Amino acid sequence: GCSFLSKTRVIQEHGGRAVIIADNAYDNDSFYIEMIQDSSRRTADIPALFLLGRDGYMIRRSLEQHGLPWAVISIPVNVTSIPTYEMMQPPWTFW
């Protein structure tokens, strides 16, 4: 129930250099959360990315199936001509 910013700051305060936060609803493939400032006036200094629940679930499931504690994840850029705010989906969903 804490904000995206609060989650990001916890990772930053524990030495994280970046964070990927996924929705915990494994079947969520369309509902985005607000990744904007909360009302606390705090900031974060590390990159933070939100994944839909379905995408986060697929990464976690792959790690578990292969018995891996971590992975290097390459997040593609939007190579379509459609702006991401119009697609309302991350670009990799369509690949």
Side-chain angles (χ1 to χ4, degrees), residues 3 6 8 13 19 22 25 28 32 42 46 49 75-76 79 85 92:
S3 71
S6 293
T8 302
E13 290 165 5
V19 61
N28 177 15
Y32 285 93
R42 299 172 301 164
I46 63 172
L49 173 75
I75 307 241
V79 295
Y85 67 86
W92 54 87

Side-chain angles (χ1 to χ4, degrees), residues 70-87:
W70 58 274
V72 174
I73 301 170
S74 297
I75 307 241
V77 296
N78 182 5
V79 295
T80 70
S81 60
I82 304 168
T84 53
Y85 67 86
E86 287 182 12
M87 290 191 305

Side-chain angles (χ1 to χ4, degrees), residues 9-90:
R9 288 194 44 99
V10 166
I11 297 301
Q12 178 180 310
E13 290 165 5
H14 285 86
R17 295 184 185 182
V19 61
I20 298 174
I21 299 170
D23 181 3
N24 63 356
Y26 73 90
D27 58 346
N28 177 15
D29 64 358
S30 62
F31 180 72
Y32 285 93
I33 63 164
E34 294 282 335
M35 294 188 326
I36 59 174
Q37 285 282 69
D38 56 19
S39 59
S40 68
R41 304 186 86 179
R42 299 172 301 164
T43 61
D45 299 318
I46 63 172
L49 173 75
F50 173 74
L51 289 178
L52 292 170
R54 180 189 62 209
D55 296 326
Y57 171 76
M58 296 299 288
I59 292 169
R60 285 189 305 274
R61 188 179 76 177
S62 293
L63 290 172
E64 290 169 1
Q65 286 177 339
H66 297 288
L68 299 171
W70 58 274
V72 174
I73 301 170
S74 297
I75 307 241
V77 296
N78 182 5
V79 295
T80 70
S81 60
I82 304 168
T84 53
Y85 67 86
E86 287 182 12
M87 290 191 305
M88 296 300 294
Q89 294 286 326

